[in-house]
Amino acid sequence: MITGDAAYIKKINRSLIISKIIEHGMVSRADLAKITGLNKATISVQAADLLAEDLIIESVQDHKNLGRRPIMLSINQQAGFVLGIDLDKHSVAFALANISGLPVQTDTIQLNTSDYEVILEVLTKQINAYKQQCSHARYGLSSVVIGIHGIVNNDEMIYFVPQHSWHNKNLKVDLQTKTGVNIYIENNANLCSFAEKVYQHHQSENLLSISLYSGIGLGIMVNGDALRGYHGYAGEIGHMIVVPDGIPCSCGNRGCWEQYASESSFMKQLSEKLNTIDLKYDDIQKLIMAQEPITCKQLKQYIKYLSIGLNNIINLYNPEILVINSELLRIYPNAVTEIKNNLTSTISHYCELLVSELGNQACVMGACAFGIKNFLEVSTISLTLNDGRLS
């Protein structure tokens, strides 16, 4: 049984009320009392506080019935903003969203270096520009959340980023010093799984999200929270060995799963076999549609190795929902069917396996949602997008 003083109980009630206002978009005080189980007096006091803080607004709902029109409560979208960042090997993606989770602006900057100081300056310049852009709002740019394609510990220190060869970088402190903004550092796969939970699968309590882009990362949501492990390093599933003494990996081992089932490895191997460079997803889609023999054979091999790793993950975690985040699989017809046909073990059990609808925007979307959750100090959050993706 949860106990606490009056201030603690008030904080719990506040979190619950904000969560339900976000979830329902617009809701009256009377309906809020029914939804939360709190009495009307508590709702009124909390609503008054949130109105005074400019976190919510009131509006009168039009209706055709006789009687007084209900006053609706909703999140004040212009109270503040959050910035989500996906820091990958060759690019940095930015998404600015208001505190109701709606995107305001998206940008992408290409990287041609792995030098930490250079990238730090790129991030600093962009964050400060967004900060200035949001200065009109009461809470301005409330937080910045950065998804890292590497190992991040529980103190938000970057332990290792294989693609950039970074070791022990305190990007959080470096950026906070240079920008004066609250910075959060998180593993990108964790943010992807959080996005799936917040935007797509609200009711799922046991969700896994696998990202297959420059490497392979696993985000694990158990009972609605991320499973991070003792140091925060859980989910580095791309370095599970699937081929003993196989292809060398930047982690120091050989035969790691991401050398066979990441999109970057597929692109590299297909480019070599086709004797071409700079393959794009559009090129691969055309090759698939034309049933080009080398491409089709390579895809079959790719699905085989992908399925080996998925089988191991399913046996380890017995997920309710297993989401695969992959642009390659989005353009490959019957990808999910082929994967399921390879999962023939009578031991492996899962309820649903699907390719993410959020695609390569999942990380920045999860980052924005994570920033909103921290800013509003809510325990749970459910958001929606009109078209399911950032514009």
Side-chain angles (χ1 to χ4, degrees):
M1 180 178 180
I2 298 176
T3 60
D5 59 18
Y8 178 68
I9 299 300
K10 185 176 181 180
K11 185 177 180 179
I12 292 175
N13 291 341
R14 174 190 172 97
S15 171
L16 177 61
I17 289 168
I18 293 175
S19 293
K20 293 304 178 183
I21 292 174
I22 293 173
E23 181 181 341
H24 291 269
M26 297 181 67
V27 61
S28 68
R29 287 172 173 80
D31 286 342
L32 202 51
K34 294 176 184 176
I35 293 165
T36 62
L38 299 173
N39 62 53
K40 293 181 180 180
T42 298
I43 297 292
S44 294
V45 171
Q46 291 275 4
D49 289 345
L50 293 172
L51 285 165
E53 295 171 35
D54 286 334
L55 289 176
I56 64 172
I57 55 175
E58 291 181 318
S59 59
V60 178
Q61 187 178 46
D62 291 332
H63 72 146
K64 297 179 181 179
N65 298 327
L66 296 175
R68 183 177 178 182
R69 292 183 296 175
I71 297 175
M72 309 299 287
L73 304 177
S74 59
I75 290 293
N76 180 6
Q77 296 183 1
Q78 302 305 310
F81 299 85
V82 294
L83 180 64
I85 300 177
D86 181 3
L87 176 56
D88 207 345
K89 181 179 181 180
H90 298 298
S91 64
V92 188
F94 301 85
L96 184 70
N98 60 35
I99 62 169
S100 67
L102 295 177
V104 174
Q105 181 177 335
T106 60
D107 299 288
T108 300
I109 292 178
Q110 298 302 314
L111 294 177
N112 55 13
T113 180
S114 288
D115 185 278
Y116 177 78
E117 295 299 330
V118 173
I119 294 176
L120 175 62
E121 287 307 310
V122 169
L123 293 172
T124 299
K125 180 180 178 181
Q126 288 297 119
I127 291 170
N128 281 330
Y130 284 115
K131 179 181 177 182
Q132 178 61 34
Q133 183 178 330
C134 300
S135 60
H136 65 281
R138 173 165 177 175
Y139 296 99
L141 183 59
S142 64
S143 63
V144 175
V145 182
I146 305 176
I148 301 296
H149 293 244
I151 302 174
V152 179
N153 69 19
N154 288 326
D155 295 323
E156 299 178 68
M157 276 280 295
I158 297 174
Y159 176 71
F160 180 45
V161 179
Q163 303 289 356
H164 289 299
S165 296
W166 290 354
H167 294 268
N168 300 317
K169 300 296 185 183
N170 199 338
L171 184 61
K172 177 185 178 77
V173 170
D174 290 342
L175 281 175
Q176 284 184 165
T177 301
K178 289 177 174 288
T179 66
V181 178
N182 293 322
I183 305 290
Y184 298 92
I185 307 296
E186 181 59 274
N187 173 269
N188 77 299
N190 287 343
L191 293 176
C192 288
S193 65
F194 188 62
E196 297 293 342
K197 165 72 174 174
V198 169
Y199 288 99
Q200 299 286 88
H201 306 284
H202 300 155
Q203 304 306 317
S204 176
E205 293 298 316
N206 197 315
L207 180 149
L208 302 182
S209 173
I210 300 171
S211 300
L212 302 179
Y213 296 102
S214 56
I216 299 181
L218 174 65
I220 309 163
M221 299 293 292
V222 177
N223 297 325
D225 293 320
L227 179 64
R228 303 177 187 279
Y230 180 65
H231 292 105
Y233 300 161
E236 290 301 319
I237 203 70
H239 299 286
M240 166 179 59
I241 295 173
V242 296
V243 179
D245 300 319
I247 299 171
C249 181
S250 60
C251 75
N253 282 327
R254 301 177 69 94
C256 291
W257 190 33
E258 70 177 37
Q259 298 301 319
Y260 299 85
S262 68
E263 291 192 357
S264 61
S265 68
F266 174 84
M267 296 285 201
K268 179 182 177 182
Q269 292 164 18
L270 183 60
S271 294
E272 291 173 353
K273 292 184 178 182
L274 293 176
N275 195 26
T276 185
I277 59 172
D278 199 27
L279 274 176
K280 300 289 193 302
Y281 291 111
D282 288 345
D283 301 322
I284 294 174
Q285 188 169 28
K286 291 175 183 176
L287 291 168
I288 292 172
M289 295 299 292
Q291 295 188 333
E292 195 281 319
I294 295 175
T295 303
C296 291
K297 182 178 179 180
Q298 190 67 26
L299 276 166
K300 296 294 182 184
Q301 186 77 350
Y302 177 79
I303 292 292
K304 172 187 173 182
Y305 282 115
L306 177 58
S307 301
I308 290 171
L310 293 178
N311 180 76
N312 295 342
I313 292 168
I314 291 168
N315 285 336
L316 278 171
Y317 294 105
N318 179 218
E320 175 189 3
I321 297 176
L322 178 56
V323 183
I324 307 172
N325 197 309
S326 166
E327 288 297 304
L328 180 60
L329 297 184
R330 284 168 62 88
I331 62 175
Y332 182 37
N334 300 318
V336 171
T337 299
E338 288 193 23
I339 292 169
K340 288 181 177 179
N341 288 340
N342 283 331
L343 301 176
T344 57
S345 171
T346 57
I347 302 298
S348 301
H349 293 285
Y350 59 92
C351 290
E352 189 174 3
L353 187 153
L354 50 90
V355 175
S356 173
E357 295 181 11
L358 304 181
N360 57 15
Q361 296 172 340
C363 179
V364 288
M365 292 169 67
C368 288
F370 188 83
I372 294 168
K373 180 176 182 290
N374 286 340
F375 171 64
L376 295 177
E377 297 181 308
V378 294
S379 57
T380 60
I381 186 169
S382 295
L383 301 172
T384 58
L385 291 171
N386 292 334
D387 60 358
R389 290 166 67 88
L390 293 175
S391 58

